Amino acid sequence: MADSRLMDVERTLLIPAELAGMRLDQAAAQLWPDFSRSRIQEWIKGGEVTVDGRSMRPRDTVLGGEELSLRTELEQQSEDRPQDIPLDIVFEDEHLLVVNKPVDLVVHPGAGNPDGTLVNALLHHDPELALLPRAGVVHRLDKQTSGLLVVGKTQAAFQALVADLAERRIGREYDAVVVGHLIAGGTVDEPIGRHARDRQRQAVVAQGKPAVTHYRVVEQFGEHTWLRVRLETGRTHQIRVHMAHIRHPIVGDPVYGGRPRLPRGAEDMLVDVLRDFGRQALHARRLTLTHPETGETLSLKAPMPDDMDELIELLRDYRDGNDEGEAEVIYVTDPD
């Protein structure tokens, strides 16, 4: 019986003229950077790599223009099954893709969510992602947070992006609607770790890992504020924990948000939206990264989701209709 952990891999391409005169193993390693040169040498010796249908030795010279083919079996890193779940892909090439994750989509399968996740959708979109750890997903978002996620499509791209994330070279910017009246931006530099009593929650704790969150005011609505938030680190629930810590929790946050604050004299529609907002009003709006192959800077943006857009419009209508002038309009940063 065939091993269900093995996956057939077939790749074919033409050797470009600029590699003429190079050893076969060197040329193949350049053309397939997601595989190590030692592994490619083994495949050449085993006849799994061919040139114009013929087996060659690793040290043999290529002329350019030949057809280079790979046919082998590789062990899958993911045992999750592909599922035909729509993806909103913002950018994709042969090295990486960036997806705009909707609300309610879990990133990784786990307890309580064995399937129906972003990983399942990615495996259907590109089956070779099963060969990568976590199907190439470089970072994650909470189920109820919408917005941009980057996925490496090759081993080399995945490793480069993971390293960039660890070294804080990937920029992540969020939109958030928070409770309370903020007139200026700031930084929260407080360590985050497991809550002492509730292990499902995170908290600011002295023994936690370093966590830094920067925020700026976009627009004020009296008892609520629209913020632009930038992560310097990426701890679990970081923005949600930090904003709650400074007593400006994110609207709708079911874990850290507390009871909704209802503006005085607000119309029923705004009251209903604030009471029933079904998730934290947090959206990963912009992702800035260095392309792992070309070195180009990519700055990608996802539009505000409809539920947050409606919330902001209703808060703006409340502010503009406030005769007492309590909610002055102040833009500290460009909303775009």
Side-chain angles (χ1 to χ4, degrees):
M1 180 182 294
D3 188 341
S4 61
R5 294 281 296 152
L6 295 178
M7 178 177 176
D8 292 329
V9 175
E10 295 188 9
R11 297 187 183 180
T12 300
L13 48 74
L14 293 180
I15 300 175
E18 56 264 30
L19 299 187
M22 188 175 288
R23 286 172 54 118
L24 171 58
D25 57 351
Q26 293 175 326
Q30 283 201 24
L31 295 170
W32 294 319
D34 44 329
F35 302 127
S36 68
R37 185 173 169 186
S38 60
R39 171 173 274 189
I40 287 173
Q41 287 174 336
E42 292 176 2
W43 287 335
I44 294 172
K45 293 174 183 177
E48 294 166 290
V49 171
T50 59
V51 178
D52 286 337
R54 296 180 293 107
S55 295
M56 295 176 63
R57 296 170 299 180
R59 68 173 182 268
D60 286 341
T61 300
V62 300
L63 303 176
E66 303 101 317
E67 183 179 82
L68 183 67
S69 297
L70 167 66
R71 289 178 176 82
T72 189
E73 288 184 330
L74 290 176
E75 184 176 2
Q76 299 185 50
Q77 299 295 307
S78 173
E79 296 184 17
D80 301 306
R81 64 189 181 93
Q83 289 180 289
D84 188 3
I85 300 169
L87 288 172
D88 180 6
I89 295 175
V90 177
F91 174 89
E92 182 175 19
D93 64 11
E94 60 186 306
H95 304 284
L96 63 89
L97 67 86
V98 175
V99 62
N100 181 19
K101 187 191 83 69
V103 175
D104 288 330
L105 184 64
V106 174
V107 174
H108 295 284
N113 296 284
D115 55 17
T117 71
L118 177 64
V119 164
N120 299 109
L122 289 169
L123 293 172
H124 181 271
H125 175 72
D126 184 351
E128 286 202 13
L129 290 175
L131 301 173
L132 299 177
R134 305 194 299 272
V137 176
V138 174
H139 58 110
R140 64 193 306 167
L141 294 173
D142 297 334
K143 176 182 179 181
Q144 299 297 340
T145 298
S146 56
L148 297 177
L149 277 167
V150 62
V151 178
K153 294 179 63 178
T154 69
Q155 189 69 43
F158 175 73
Q159 291 175 345
L161 290 166
V162 168
D164 282 352
L165 185 70
E167 294 297 322
R168 306 180 185 181
R169 292 191 290 262
I170 295 180
R172 289 171 291 168
E173 189 176 70
Y174 293 71
D175 277 315
V177 181
V178 301
V179 173
H181 185 79
L182 284 159
I183 60 172
T187 295
V188 185
D189 185 352
E190 296 287 353
I192 290 177
R194 291 284 184 188
H195 192 281
R197 294 180 301 277
D198 185 348
R199 306 304 289 174
Q200 301 301 312
R201 299 178 63 183
Q202 304 292 308
V204 169
V205 292
Q207 70 275 22
K209 295 181 180 180
V212 181
T213 303
H214 306 282
Y215 63 91
R216 297 174 293 169
V217 175
V218 179
E219 191 172 355
Q220 297 170 343
F221 310 108
E223 297 179 39
H224 297 84
T225 307
W226 173 11
L227 297 180
R228 185 79 24 89
V229 184
R230 181 172 60 84
L231 284 179
E232 187 171 318
T233 55
R235 308 304 174 202
T236 301
H237 298 174
Q238 179 173 317
I239 297 174
R240 300 164 63 189
V241 171
H242 271 171
M243 297 316 299
H245 178 71
I246 64 172
R247 305 191 182 209
H248 292 287
I250 296 174
V251 169
D253 193 325
V255 177
Y256 306 101
R259 298 178 62 184
R261 183 179 299 180
L262 305 177
R264 290 195 306 270
E267 295 189 1
D268 290 346
M269 184 176 293
L270 175 57
V271 170
D272 291 342
V273 167
L274 287 171
R275 280 179 173 163
D276 300 331
F277 205 80
R279 56 105 170 193
Q280 60 268 10
L282 184 63
H283 173 64
R285 70 179 297 271
R286 189 182 295 276
L287 195 62
T288 305
L289 56 93
T290 300
H291 193 286
E293 180 65 20
T294 67
E296 176 189 3
T297 298
L298 299 179
S299 184
L300 303 165
K301 182 180 174 184
M304 186 85 76
D306 290 344
D307 59 348
M308 284 182 62
D309 200 41
E310 179 190 22
L311 172 64
I312 288 171
E313 285 297 327
L314 288 171
L315 288 169
R316 186 178 289 135
D317 288 345
Y318 163 77
R319 178 201 61 205
D320 294 345
N322 188 324
D323 293 333
E324 298 179 9
E326 295 178 358
E328 180 184 2
V329 181
I330 298 180
Y331 284 101
V332 179
T333 191
D334 188 338
D336 293 329

